[in-house]
């Protein structure tokens, strides 16, 4: 059976989740208090309804507790976000993901029982900052406060050298998870794999180690 998702709040974040889930063939209920936004996603989601998610009886009538996953993507109204999350918890929703506006909002959401809290604007800001600071960092995913996965563009300094020759794990404490070359991707590359300028290396490690490796091996200036 297809998983059933409900997305509450159809701003840019909620709308993009709604579209992505629908494209993956999932059943999606789109909910917002704004009729114009609901109409915009009426042909995208499986169902789209104008409803107040802070009203307990409304959520019950929608059968919200039967959904596999509910995403609370309410924009600037922190009170509505918290009340909605509380209602979902009380109704026994299996999995609740909530968009937080700030750290205080996140603390409250965690205390009342949200299963996962996300900061899309902050996380995107971190990724953009890394891309701006370094010409070698193509993408960045924070795993924790100290560990990340990054995509690094290989330059002249590593051209023609093998992974074993560079000895990245021993010298920098980082692991090369994959190498992207054109349309192909080599997952768990062999130690004798030669690198070429323009290769994209997917690296996992501590932020400090990745930074040290990047400036030592990938800075061609």
């Amino acid at each position: 059976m297809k998983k059933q998702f409900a997305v509450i709040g159809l701003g840019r974040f909620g709308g993009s989740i709604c579209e992505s889930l629908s494209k993956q063939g999932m059943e999606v209920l789109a909910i917002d208090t704004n009729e114009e936004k609901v109409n915009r996603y009426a042909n995208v989601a499986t169902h789209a309804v104008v409803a107040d998610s802070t009203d307990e009886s409304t959520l019950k009538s929608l059968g919200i507790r039967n959904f596999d996953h509910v995403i609370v993507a309410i924009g600037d109204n922190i009170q509505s976000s918290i009340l909605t999350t509380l209602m979902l918890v009380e109704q026994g929703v299996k999995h609740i993901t909530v968009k937080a506006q700030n750290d205080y909002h996140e603390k409250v959401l965690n205390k009342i029982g949200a299963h996962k809290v996300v900061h899309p604007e902050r996380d995107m800001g971190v990724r953009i900052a890394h891309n701006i600071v370094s010409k070698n960092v193509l993408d960045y995913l924070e795993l924790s406060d100290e560990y990340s996965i990054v995509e690094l563009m290989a330059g002249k300094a590593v051209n023609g050298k093998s992974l074993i020759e560079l000895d990245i794990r021993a010298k920098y404490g980082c692991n090369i998870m994959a190498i992207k070359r054109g349309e192909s991707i080599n997952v768990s590359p062999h130690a004798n794999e030669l690198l070429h300028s323009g290769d994209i290396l997917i690296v996992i490690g501590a932020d400090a180690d990745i930074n040290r490796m990047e400036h030592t091996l990938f800075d061609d200036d």
Side-chain angles (χ1 to χ4, degrees):
M1 289 180 65
K2 292 180 182 177
K3 280 193 173 182
Q4 293 185 314
F5 293 83
V7 179
I8 301 174
L10 300 175
R12 281 181 297 179
F13 177 64
S16 65
I17 288 180
C18 188
E19 288 177 346
S20 181
L21 289 171
S22 297
K23 283 179 182 175
Q24 293 177 63
M26 302 299 170
E27 290 191 14
V28 183
L29 171 63
I31 304 169
D32 201 286
T33 54
N34 185 306
E35 187 175 358
E36 186 181 335
K37 289 181 179 178
V38 170
N39 290 337
R40 195 181 305 157
Y41 290 95
N43 295 323
V44 176
T46 314
H47 304 286
V49 297
V50 178
D52 180 4
S53 60
T54 64
D55 184 82
E56 186 178 8
S57 60
T58 297
L59 290 178
K60 283 182 178 177
S61 69
L62 291 170
I64 205 75
R65 69 188 302 251
N66 299 318
F67 283 79
D68 297 295
H69 197 144
V70 179
I71 298 97
V72 181
I74 294 171
D76 297 329
N77 194 329
I78 289 178
Q79 182 175 321
S80 291
S81 168
I82 292 168
L83 281 173
T84 297
T85 304
L86 188 57
M87 301 280 186
L88 296 173
V89 171
E90 288 181 343
Q91 292 193 33
V93 174
K94 301 184 201 79
H95 200 101
I96 306 163
T97 295
V98 191
K99 171 188 172 182
Q101 296 296 323
N102 51 49
D103 291 340
Y104 173 74
H105 188 192
E106 178 180 10
K107 283 180 183 178
V108 175
L109 292 170
N110 285 327
K111 281 186 180 295
I112 63 176
H115 301 118
K116 184 170 184 178
V117 179
V118 295
H119 294 262
E121 286 89 355
R122 184 190 70 184
D123 295 344
M124 183 54 70
V126 170
R127 293 172 76 175
I128 290 171
H130 275 79
N131 292 345
I132 291 170
V133 168
S134 173
K135 68 182 189 303
N136 301 307
V137 176
L138 304 179
D139 205 353
Y140 170 92
L141 175 65
E142 185 179 30
L143 298 177
S144 70
D145 289 341
E146 297 181 1
Y147 289 87
S148 303
I149 296 174
V150 299
E151 286 189 353
L152 291 171
M153 174 80 77
K156 291 179 289 185
V158 298
N159 187 45
K161 294 183 178 178
S162 68
L163 293 177
I164 196 167
E165 186 180 352
L166 293 169
D167 206 11
I168 287 171
R169 184 185 296 178
K171 288 181 179 176
Y172 304 100
C174 300
N175 286 299
I176 307 255
M177 299 168 62
I179 300 172
K180 291 199 284 189
R181 185 173 296 148
E183 295 298 314
S184 66
I185 181 164
N186 181 358
V187 179
S188 298
H190 193 271
N192 293 321
E193 179 75 30
L194 296 178
L195 298 180
H196 304 288
S197 293
D199 284 352
I200 297 170
L201 310 185
I202 300 171
V203 182
I204 185 170
D207 292 339
D209 293 335
I210 292 173
N211 190 51
R212 187 164 52 90
M213 180 189 76
E214 180 204 338
H215 288 299
T216 306
L217 288 181
F218 292 86
D219 195 347
D220 290 333
D221 294 337

